[in-house]
Structure formats: structure tokens, C-alpha cells
């Protein structure tokens, strides 16, 4: 295993998914994940989602950098976070709310669970 990894879609096989039906609010969002690093509770890679809205509940810590697209993450208290290319943020364990993708979104992520 190399000690230097480029964070690119070509660095991992894509995985395809969608939000569970009980979490889906609107649209037909489809996810593609290129998980470049997966070990000891650390996950790092690129994630893409097509437009739609679903419920989220974080049990892990995640750092995100938006590469392209637009989204709105809304906390259960109604606070809206409008996100677009160039934005970076952290979601901490215990965050609950919704994630709405307005334009196909691509992000880099680091997750600690």
C-alpha cells in the first residue's frame, strides 16, 4: 500500500448508492462514492450526489470541501447552510437535519467514526 495517495476519482473504484426510502424527502438523488482511504474508522475520498433532498443524522465527524455544485443543509432547528464550490465545513456527531442538492454536488470528505 502506497504512503502517498492522490485524492482523485481514478484512485478508487466507484460505489453507487441512494438515500434509504425512509430518509428520502424529494427527488431521486443518486450517490457515487470514490472511497480512497478506508481503515481504522478513517474514510477519505470523493462523493457526488445528484439533485434531491433527504434526512441526515450524523454519528461521525466529517470534514467536507465542496468541489462543484450547490446544496442546502438545514439543521432541525431551521438554520440553513447554503453551500457551493469552494466552501469547507465540519459536521459533528449529533447533527440532524436535511441535505438538499440543488445542482449535482461533488465533495472531498474525511470522516472519522
Amino acid at each position: 500500500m502506497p504512503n502517498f495517495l492522490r485524492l482523485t476519482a481514478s484512485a478508487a473504484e466507484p460505489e453507487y448508492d441512494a438515500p434509504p426510502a425512509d430518509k428520502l424527502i424529494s427527488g431521486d438523488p443518486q450517490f457515487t462514492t470514490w472511497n480512497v482511504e478506508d481503515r481504522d474508522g478513517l474514510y477519505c475520498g470523493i462523493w457526488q450526489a445528484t439533485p434531491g433532498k433527504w434526512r441526515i443524522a450524523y454519528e461521525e465527524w466529517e470534514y467536507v470541501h465542496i468541489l462543484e455544485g450547490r446544496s442546502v443543509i438545514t439543521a432541525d432547528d431551521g438554520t440553513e447552510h447554503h453551500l457551493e464550490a469552494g466552501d469547507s465545513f465540519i459536521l459533528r456527531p449529533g447533527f440532524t437535519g436535511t441535505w438538499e442538492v440543488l445542482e449535482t454536488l461533488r465533495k472531498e470528505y474525511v470522516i472519522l467514526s
Side-chain angles (χ1 to χ4, degrees):
M1 176 182 295
N3 288 326
F4 181 91
L5 298 170
R6 288 199 182 270
L7 196 55
T8 65
S10 64
E13 289 296 316
E15 300 170 24
Y16 303 97
D17 201 4
D22 64 334
K23 304 279 188 203
L24 184 62
I25 296 171
S26 64
D28 182 26
Q30 300 297 305
F31 305 154
T32 306
T33 304
W34 295 269
N35 204 33
V36 176
E37 183 76 274
D38 177 352
R39 62 176 164 136
D40 303 322
L42 171 70
Y43 307 91
C44 181
I46 298 170
W47 178 82
Q48 180 174 289
T50 60
K53 185 175 184 178
W54 60 94
R55 293 221 28 89
I56 56 174
Y58 272 71
E59 297 177 4
E60 62 281 335
W61 178 98
E62 180 176 8
Y63 165 80
V64 173
H65 177 75
I66 305 293
L67 300 171
E68 58 188 60
R70 292 185 314 115
S71 279
V72 178
I73 294 178
T74 304
D76 280 342
D77 69 4
T79 305
E80 291 185 350
H81 305 279
H82 294 260
L83 305 162
E84 60 186 23
D87 289 339
S88 298
F89 60 94
I90 293 171
L91 287 169
R92 291 183 171 151
F95 182 90
T96 57
T98 62
W99 191 312
E100 181 175 15
V101 172
L102 305 172
E103 284 177 9
T104 297
L105 183 94
R106 187 174 279 214
K107 70 177 186 178
E108 295 175 332
Y109 63 87
V110 177
I111 297 172
L112 296 173
S113 59

